[in-house]
Amino acid sequence: MSDAAQPTAAEVRAAAEAVKTALDRHLAAVERRSGEDDPAVYEAFNQLAAAAEVYDELLYDRYDEVTPFEIPGDDALPPYAGPEEPNAISVLIRRDYAVVEPQRLRAQAQRVEAADSEVGASLGGDASDTVHGALGILFGEFEPDEIASRHKEFGLEEGDSTLWVTASDEPADPGDWLEAPFEHVDPEAVVCRFDVSAVFDEDPDADDEDDPDDDIDDEAPDDLVDDLDTEFDTHLDEDEDLEPLDADR
């Protein structure tokens, strides 16, 4: 950044003082907290994290130095503040996959097209020739739960998964949220949350030969399936046989 855009020494000093003040407020909130999920402690924690992040940025911009502490990510949910007796719930689900065998994916989509010509025609014809077209065919033909249980057959590799259950007083009107299903989520209305991620399996003593499918959060449901975020990988063994699809489909 240019010298004109750099923060002044006074601004850095003010940011440092803000961190000190936030530290005192956080300690005071902890000392007088009313319970494990005291919202005052949660608010003081966030204020301290925000002040420390500002100071860290200004310190680096001005002096090319960093602080010796890491600013924690805000991935924890705040205390529940939704309705005590909700009349409706929303289940927000996301499951990521990597496309590790695109030819296998296309081949399985071609089998669906061959069995039902209307499937390919509805997507513009020869849809299975492209990865995104093949994904449209397979996710249109199979339930997300079935794709989750048979993802290797479709050339997919499982990534992170998350499921959030949120509570509300009234159900949403039909069609209200379809354009942006995950845009308006109130963290304080989340009743429970279940995550499945490889970051939870970083055990240095783990046997490298263990089946990765065994490394699953026991508290998480098996059908965390919906939203798709794909990565493309062109590595492929073209001679590998494909597992047959369900003949009834």
Side-chain angles (χ1 to χ4, degrees):
M1 75 170 23
S2 66
D3 291 340
Q6 286 182 347
T8 65
E11 288 174 328
V12 179
R13 173 64 62 179
E17 293 298 327
V19 172
K20 297 175 185 178
T21 301
L23 273 170
D24 290 337
R25 289 175 178 171
H26 181 259
L27 177 58
V30 171
E31 289 174 336
R32 60 173 181 265
R33 67 183 175 187
S34 58
E36 184 177 349
D37 295 326
D38 191 331
V41 175
Y42 177 81
E43 182 179 359
F45 173 89
N46 285 339
Q47 291 176 349
L48 175 57
E53 185 172 7
V54 171
Y55 172 62
D56 189 81
E57 291 177 354
L58 294 179
L59 185 71
Y60 181 80
D61 290 343
R62 176 68 184 182
Y63 300 109
D64 199 22
E65 291 289 344
V66 295
T67 57
F69 46 83
E70 181 179 355
I71 307 302
D74 188 17
D75 56 355
L77 292 173
Y80 177 73
E84 292 186 6
E85 297 183 5
N87 295 315
I89 64 168
S90 296
V91 181
L92 297 98
I93 304 172
R94 170 171 172 163
R95 188 180 200 90
D96 284 3
Y97 298 93
V99 180
V100 293
E101 297 181 87
Q103 183 167 330
R104 175 183 289 272
L105 180 77
R106 292 194 296 267
Q108 299 289 36
Q110 288 166 2
R111 293 186 181 188
V112 174
E113 278 186 319
D116 188 351
S117 59
E118 294 183 2
V119 172
S122 65
L123 295 175
D126 297 328
S128 60
D129 290 343
T130 64
V131 169
H132 70 272
L135 288 169
I137 291 175
L138 294 175
F139 276 84
E141 179 70 10
F142 300 99
E143 293 292 332
D145 288 358
E146 184 170 3
I147 289 181
S149 64
R150 303 173 60 187
H151 61 276
K152 292 182 180 179
E153 297 179 34
F154 302 119
L156 302 175
E157 182 179 278
E158 287 182 310
D160 290 354
S161 301
T162 188
L163 180 150
W164 294 25
V165 179
T166 65
S168 57
D169 287 318
E170 298 295 337
D173 292 333
D176 259 6
W177 50 261
L178 296 180
E179 293 299 321
F182 306 109
E183 186 172 311
H184 303 292
V185 180
D186 181 1
E188 293 188 347
V190 175
V191 177
C192 56
R193 168 179 172 176
F194 302 93
D195 296 325
V196 177
S197 175
V199 300
F200 302 141
D201 302 327
E202 295 178 353
D203 184 358
D205 298 326
D207 187 351
D208 293 338
E209 296 180 358
D210 287 347
D211 186 350
D213 291 337
D214 293 337
D215 298 332
I216 299 177
D217 186 345
D218 291 337
E219 296 180 0
D222 293 333
D223 55 346
L224 303 178
V225 188
D226 194 6
D227 194 18
L228 176 67
D229 179 18
T230 59
E231 299 176 9
F232 296 91
D233 187 344
T234 57
H235 298 295
L236 177 67
D237 180 0
E238 297 186 2
D239 296 329
E240 185 178 357
D241 293 334
L242 295 173
E243 288 86 347
L245 291 172
D246 190 337
D248 293 337
R249 293 185 176 274

